Amino acid sequence: MKAILTVIGKDNVGIIAGVSNELSELEINILDVSQTIMDGYFTMMMMLDLSTTTKAFDEVKEQLAKKGTDLQVKVSIQREEIFNSMHKL
């Protein structure tokens, strides 16, 4: 299964490393990533492959949200099909 991860918040040191390390611990592969800093705010979007994780999607979502709290950013994850449905014209 693929999923879309978004990270938004005030820029600070270690956001990319923190999120990437958490994904590695969950055995989730990063397929694509785009990130930028706009006027001091960090934004990142990742396409993920969850096919090798042993955790349920809700556990992954909860663990990533907790990591976001630790990093002082908002981390959200959605299944790819939900994301695509929400953004179709």
Side-chain angles (χ1 to χ4, degrees):
M1 169 182 40
K2 290 183 183 175
I4 307 298
L5 178 109
T6 56
V7 181
I8 301 170
K10 192 147 179 68
D11 187 35
N12 58 57
V13 174
I15 298 171
I16 296 173
V19 172
S20 297
N21 285 333
E22 195 70 24
L23 292 170
S24 177
E25 288 178 18
L26 289 164
E27 298 182 45
I28 294 173
N29 191 36
I30 300 168
L31 300 174
D32 199 1
V33 61
S34 174
Q35 67 89 34
T36 192
I37 298 168
M38 299 184 308
D39 197 27
Y41 288 91
F42 178 87
T43 63
M44 179 168 66
M45 180 178 265
M46 291 180 163
M47 171 72 74
L48 306 174
D49 179 0
L50 280 72
S51 64
T52 55
T53 189
T54 58
K55 303 272 187 177
F57 185 80
D58 287 339
E59 290 177 86
V60 169
K61 188 174 186 175
E62 185 177 315
Q63 196 166 330
L64 289 169
K66 182 182 179 316
K67 177 52 79 174
T69 300
D70 295 345
L71 295 169
Q72 301 177 345
V73 294
K74 180 173 174 48
V75 177
S76 302
I77 187 170
Q78 293 180 305
R79 290 178 175 89
E80 180 185 34
E81 60 270 14
I82 300 294
F83 183 86
N84 287 339
S85 295
M86 290 175 56
H87 295 91
K88 271 189 182 167
L89 296 176

